[in-house]
Amino acid sequence: MSVSQETCLLDRVLELIMNEKPPTSATLFLNEDADRPPVARRRLRGAMERSASSLKERMSSVSREKVKGFLRRNLFVLFTVAAVAVGVVLGFALRPHNLSLRGIKYFAFPGELLMRMLQMLVLPLIVSSLVTGISSLDSKASGKMGVRAVVYYMVTTLIAVFIGIVIVTIIQPGKGSRDSPVVKSGNIEPVQAADAFLDLIRNMFPPNLVEACFKQYKTVYKKTVRIRNVTLTLNLTDSLNITESDLSVNLSRVLHTIQETVEETVPASGSSNGVNALGLVVFSMCFGLVVGSMKQQGQALRDFFDCLNEAIMRLVSIIIWYAPVGILFLIAGKIVEMKNLAEVGGQLGMYTVSVIVGLLIHGLLVLPLLYFLVTRKNPYGFIAGLLQALITALGTSSSSATLPITFRCLEENNRVDKRVTRFILPVGATINMDGTALYEAVAAIFIAQVNDMDLNFGQILTISITATAASIGAAGIPQAGLVTMVIVLTSVGLPTEDITLIIAVDWFLDRLRTTTNVLGDSLGAGIVEHLSRAELKSQDAEVRNSVLEENEKPYQLICQENDSLNHRNGETSM
């Protein structure tokens, strides 16, 4: 029953009481009430009126406060959802006008501004959050937390690849009449799997930290032409039609040297634009561990990075007001830019359905089930707190650009410990790519089906392992999955030029898999926090005890303090 219905019912009861006529003497039992003095009846009536009016006010005030609180908590989310809806409508409304490429570029400019703002904050956010998070933990706690995070990442990525393989095997989108490649422009760069994995390891240790802020190492291939000498054996006996008996010297075999021109593709060092997030993550983790082990000496650095992290998050809270406008124009611009939807049919339509079904199963069933099994909490309530981060990921198509919003959602809405989010989220945004791994597995088997190639179990296993490893190397930037797709296809000998088949719908699927990646990172932070609560509580207790000891400790010289500390360490080691 709603509040308004209850209020109307109370008003009717009061009206009946007020209009009640005094009973006649014909009724035996009501004569006793008639004998009651009118003062008592008025008091009863007044008390009931006061209680009814107070109840009515309380119910109306509670409902008003609830509505205000709901709107205050979810204002950004409501704006973002409305921006997505308006962006879709606006995009489809502008499609018949056939805007030029220049017009589309100008139209999408507000969305480009949002991307630039968020990417501006990613670099200081990754460094400051990792250094702050790891330095605030002792090495034992951070080690355990890191192991749990890596195990979670590997398990969820393997599950995602398995789901993708099962879905594409059941639906078989590549069977039937072959679609012609929609986009034939642009060359697919050849990438060797071995070189790609070596690049991954090289990027973990950048030689120049400043350069790592805007460039990452990438192997390029150069063609070299060289001349080599080849020695051939000529049989002169057969060519001259003479026998050995006619010759005093055996000339049946003569060595002949010729020069041959050989063209060889050689890997060479190169670079590509973009933040080397992996190298910065590795450096920040090591730096945070060292700063944390320095105890009091490293306190100044800890305070600096903590203050930097807080300043970045305050900037995020300002930029977040602009996010709905940017997302609106990003989505509308992409819809206007889309090619003819009639071309996206047949095999490509079924491929899109396969990827979407796989991502929905992984994101809405598998990951929440894993969260529930570990924490015994409602996963969908947790996901509701992430709604704005998920919509931002859908709009920006970049898990790194969504990182500032993800931090805010987890820490403010879901109350996840900052020591966990600062450690888990930057690492997850760099190496945990569930949606990308699923997409790559589906795309590889789809291309095999298009070419009528039956993959055996060994090749499918190779695809699953390569997709898992390649997703780690996929940078958190838009459409990085297309680059790593080449590695997966090369590993099982599939034609890389068939990637042009899926480029037409990649912009849309890229947004969905990015949303799945962000969801996996966030649920992982909740799971790791639940598993690490004992270490976090013990560290809180240690911090409280150390503060009390510091306050109660009498004045002494620094050298005396060091002597007492060394004496205490000597006693514990014995």
Side-chain angles (χ1 to χ4, degrees), residues 1 4-14:
M1 185 181 291
S4 59
Q5 289 176 336
E6 292 180 356
T7 309
C8 293
L9 188 61
L10 285 169
D11 291 340
R12 289 182 64 186
V13 170
L14 283 172

Side-chain angles (χ1 to χ4, degrees), residues 178-480:
R178 181 186 171 101
D179 291 341
S180 60
V182 179
V183 179
K184 295 181 180 179
S185 60
N187 295 323
I188 305 296
E189 293 184 11
V191 179
Q192 298 294 326
D195 292 331
F197 291 128
L198 288 177
D199 286 353
L200 187 65
I201 298 171
R202 289 187 186 106
N203 280 321
M204 290 171 68
F205 305 100
N208 189 333
L209 278 177
V210 177
E211 189 183 42
C213 297
F214 56 88
K215 274 188 180 181
Q216 46 189 328
Y217 186 93
K218 180 184 178 184
T219 298
V220 295
Y221 297 96
K222 293 182 179 178
K223 290 184 179 181
T224 59
V225 178
R226 61 189 179 89
I227 299 173
R228 67 178 181 180
N229 295 327
V230 179
T231 303
L232 300 176
T233 303
L234 298 178
N235 194 338
L236 292 180
T237 306
D238 295 335
S239 61
L240 296 174
N241 287 326
I242 56 175
T243 59
E244 287 188 17
S245 59
D246 297 331
L247 295 172
S248 58
V249 182
N250 185 7
L251 298 175
S252 63
R253 291 188 178 181
V254 176
L255 298 180
H256 181 60
T257 302
I258 62 171
Q259 288 185 336
E260 186 182 27
T261 303
V262 179
E263 188 180 76
E264 189 177 357
T265 303
V266 180
S269 61
S271 62
S272 63
N273 293 328
V275 178
N276 181 5
L278 194 60
L280 292 174
V281 162
V282 171
F283 171 78
S284 302
M285 289 172 67
C286 298
F287 191 73
L289 282 172
V290 172
V291 171
S293 65
M294 291 171 67
K295 304 295 181 188
Q296 196 62 32
Q297 282 180 302
Q299 187 61 42
L301 269 176
R302 278 200 298 273
D303 291 342
F304 167 75
F305 281 106
D306 196 22
C307 185
L308 177 62
N309 187 262
E310 183 63 30
I312 295 297
M313 293 311 294
R314 292 195 181 190
L315 276 175
V316 171
S317 64
I318 297 171
I319 291 175
I320 206 170
W321 285 99
Y322 179 71
V325 178
I327 290 171
L328 187 154
F329 284 97
L330 275 173
I331 292 178
K334 270 297 175 185
I335 291 175
V336 172
E337 193 181 348
M338 262 191 324
K339 298 292 185 291
N340 188 9
L341 293 177
E343 294 178 359
V344 186
Q347 291 176 327
L348 205 53
M350 293 306 294
Y351 161 74
T352 307
V353 170
S354 302
V355 176
I356 292 174
V357 169
L359 291 175
L360 287 176
I361 291 173
H362 186 71
L364 296 181
L365 293 179
V366 174
L367 291 177
L369 180 63
L370 197 60
Y371 179 85
F372 174 75
L373 291 176
V374 175
T375 63
R376 299 294 175 182
K377 295 177 183 175
N378 180 13
Y380 297 105
F382 190 91
I383 293 173
L386 299 168
L387 200 55
Q388 191 178 13
L390 299 178
I391 295 174
T392 306
L394 186 70
T396 61
S397 181
S398 170
S399 52
S400 294
T402 313
L403 195 58
I405 314 292
T406 313
F407 267 107
R408 192 175 181 278
C409 289
L410 277 177
E411 293 174 4
E412 294 187 10
N413 298 347
N414 292 338
R415 307 295 178 190
V416 179
D417 196 300
K418 289 185 177 181
R419 289 169 293 183
V420 177
T421 57
R422 290 172 181 178
F423 180 24
I424 299 299
L425 285 183
V427 179
T430 309
I431 66 173
N432 184 35
M433 301 281 179
D434 297 350
T436 305
L438 186 148
Y439 153 83
E440 287 174 352
V442 172
I445 299 178
F446 166 71
I447 289 173
Q449 291 173 356
V450 165
N451 290 281
D452 292 326
M453 294 174 61
D454 292 327
L455 300 176
N456 56 34
F457 177 75
Q459 288 174 312
I460 291 177
L461 189 64
T462 304
I463 287 175
S464 61
I465 295 171
T466 315
T468 303
S471 67
I472 296 172
I477 57 175
Q479 295 186 339

